[in-house]
Short mmCIF file of all heavy atoms in Angstrom, two decimals:
data_model
loop_
_atom_site.label_atom_id
_atom_site.label_comp_id
_atom_site.label_asym_id
_atom_site.label_seq_id
_atom_site.Cartn_x
_atom_site.Cartn_y
_atom_site.Cartn_z
N ARG S 186 -19.68 4.42 3.88
CA ARG S 186 -20.96 5.03 3.48
C ARG S 186 -21.76 5.44 4.73
O ARG S 186 -22.26 6.57 4.82
CB ARG S 186 -21.76 4.03 2.63
CG ARG S 186 -22.75 4.67 1.68
CD ARG S 186 -23.61 3.63 1.00
NE ARG S 186 -23.01 2.88 -0.08
CZ ARG S 186 -22.93 3.27 -1.35
NH1 ARG S 186 -23.41 4.45 -1.69
NH2 ARG S 186 -22.38 2.51 -2.26
N ALA S 187 -21.83 4.51 5.69
CA ALA S 187 -22.60 4.80 6.91
C ALA S 187 -21.97 5.95 7.70
O ALA S 187 -22.68 6.81 8.24
CB ALA S 187 -22.69 3.54 7.78
N ASN S 188 -20.65 5.98 7.75
CA ASN S 188 -19.98 7.06 8.48
C ASN S 188 -20.23 8.41 7.82
O ASN S 188 -20.42 9.42 8.51
CB ASN S 188 -18.48 6.79 8.58
CG ASN S 188 -18.12 6.11 9.89
OD1 ASN S 188 -18.27 6.71 10.96
ND2 ASN S 188 -17.69 4.86 9.82
N LEU S 189 -20.20 8.45 6.51
CA LEU S 189 -20.45 9.71 5.81
C LEU S 189 -21.89 10.18 6.04
O LEU S 189 -22.15 11.37 6.27
CB LEU S 189 -20.16 9.57 4.31
CG LEU S 189 -18.70 9.26 3.94
CD1 LEU S 189 -18.52 9.12 2.44
CD2 LEU S 189 -17.77 10.33 4.48
N MET S 190 -22.81 9.22 6.01
CA MET S 190 -24.21 9.57 6.25
C MET S 190 -24.40 10.07 7.67
O MET S 190 -25.13 11.03 7.93
CB MET S 190 -25.10 8.35 5.96
CG MET S 190 -25.19 8.04 4.47
SD MET S 190 -25.91 6.42 4.12
CE MET S 190 -27.50 6.58 4.86
N SER S 191 -23.73 9.40 8.60
CA SER S 191 -23.83 9.80 10.00
C SER S 191 -23.30 11.22 10.20
O SER S 191 -23.89 12.04 10.92
CB SER S 191 -23.04 8.80 10.84
OG SER S 191 -23.05 9.17 12.18
N ALA S 192 -22.17 11.52 9.54
CA ALA S 192 -21.58 12.86 9.65
C ALA S 192 -22.52 13.92 9.05
O ALA S 192 -22.71 15.00 9.63
CB ALA S 192 -20.24 12.90 8.94
N VAL S 193 -23.09 13.59 7.91
CA VAL S 193 -24.01 14.53 7.25
C VAL S 193 -25.22 14.81 8.15
O VAL S 193 -25.63 15.95 8.35
CB VAL S 193 -24.46 13.96 5.88
CG1 VAL S 193 -25.73 14.62 5.39
CG2 VAL S 193 -23.35 14.15 4.86
N ASP S 194 -25.79 13.73 8.70
CA ASP S 194 -26.96 13.89 9.57
C ASP S 194 -26.63 14.75 10.80
O ASP S 194 -27.35 15.71 11.12
CB ASP S 194 -27.43 12.49 10.01
CG ASP S 194 -28.65 12.56 10.93
OD1 ASP S 194 -29.56 13.38 10.66
OD2 ASP S 194 -28.68 11.80 11.92
N ALA S 195 -25.49 14.43 11.44
CA ALA S 195 -25.13 15.15 12.67
C ALA S 195 -24.79 16.61 12.37
O ALA S 195 -25.25 17.52 13.07
CB ALA S 195 -23.95 14.46 13.35
N GLU S 196 -23.98 16.83 11.33
CA GLU S 196 -23.51 18.19 11.04
C GLU S 196 -24.63 19.09 10.53
O GLU S 196 -24.76 20.24 10.96
CB GLU S 196 -22.38 18.16 10.01
CG GLU S 196 -21.07 17.69 10.57
CD GLU S 196 -20.21 18.82 11.13
OE1 GLU S 196 -20.34 19.96 10.64
OE2 GLU S 196 -19.43 18.56 12.05
N LEU S 197 -25.44 18.58 9.61
CA LEU S 197 -26.51 19.42 9.06
C LEU S 197 -27.55 19.73 10.13
O LEU S 197 -28.11 20.83 10.17
CB LEU S 197 -27.16 18.76 7.83
CG LEU S 197 -26.26 18.62 6.60
CD1 LEU S 197 -27.03 18.00 5.42
CD2 LEU S 197 -25.67 19.96 6.16
N THR S 198 -27.77 18.75 11.00
CA THR S 198 -28.69 19.00 12.12
C THR S 198 -28.11 20.10 13.02
O THR S 198 -28.80 21.06 13.38
CB THR S 198 -28.91 17.71 12.94
OG1 THR S 198 -29.46 16.72 12.09
CG2 THR S 198 -29.86 17.94 14.11
N ALA S 199 -26.82 19.96 13.35
CA ALA S 199 -26.18 20.94 14.24
C ALA S 199 -26.14 22.32 13.61
O ALA S 199 -26.22 23.34 14.30
CB ALA S 199 -24.77 20.47 14.58
N GLN S 200 -25.99 22.36 12.27
CA GLN S 200 -25.89 23.65 11.58
C GLN S 200 -27.27 24.23 11.22
O GLN S 200 -27.35 25.29 10.59
CB GLN S 200 -25.06 23.49 10.29
CG GLN S 200 -23.59 23.16 10.51
CD GLN S 200 -22.86 22.82 9.21
OE1 GLN S 200 -23.30 23.19 8.11
NE2 GLN S 200 -21.76 22.10 9.33
N GLY S 201 -28.33 23.51 11.55
CA GLY S 201 -29.68 23.98 11.24
C GLY S 201 -30.03 23.85 9.77
O GLY S 201 -30.99 24.47 9.29
N ARG S 202 -29.30 23.02 9.05
CA ARG S 202 -29.55 22.85 7.60
C ARG S 202 -30.39 21.58 7.39
O ARG S 202 -30.10 20.76 6.53
CB ARG S 202 -28.22 22.74 6.85
CG ARG S 202 -27.40 24.02 6.90
CD ARG S 202 -25.92 23.79 6.58
NE ARG S 202 -25.68 23.27 5.25
CZ ARG S 202 -24.48 22.87 4.81
NH1 ARG S 202 -23.43 22.95 5.62
NH2 ARG S 202 -24.34 22.40 3.59
N THR S 203 -31.45 21.45 8.18
CA THR S 203 -32.22 20.20 8.19
C THR S 203 -32.92 19.91 6.85
O THR S 203 -33.14 18.75 6.53
CB THR S 203 -33.26 20.22 9.32
OG1 THR S 203 -33.99 21.43 9.24
CG2 THR S 203 -32.60 20.11 10.68
#
Side-chain angles (χ1 to χ4, degrees):
Chain S
R186 206 187 283 275
N188 265 294
L189 296 179
M190 289 167 60
S191 177
V193 160
D194 179 42
E196 285 271 331
L197 294 182
T198 300
Q200 293 172 21
R202 294 161 62 187
T203 50

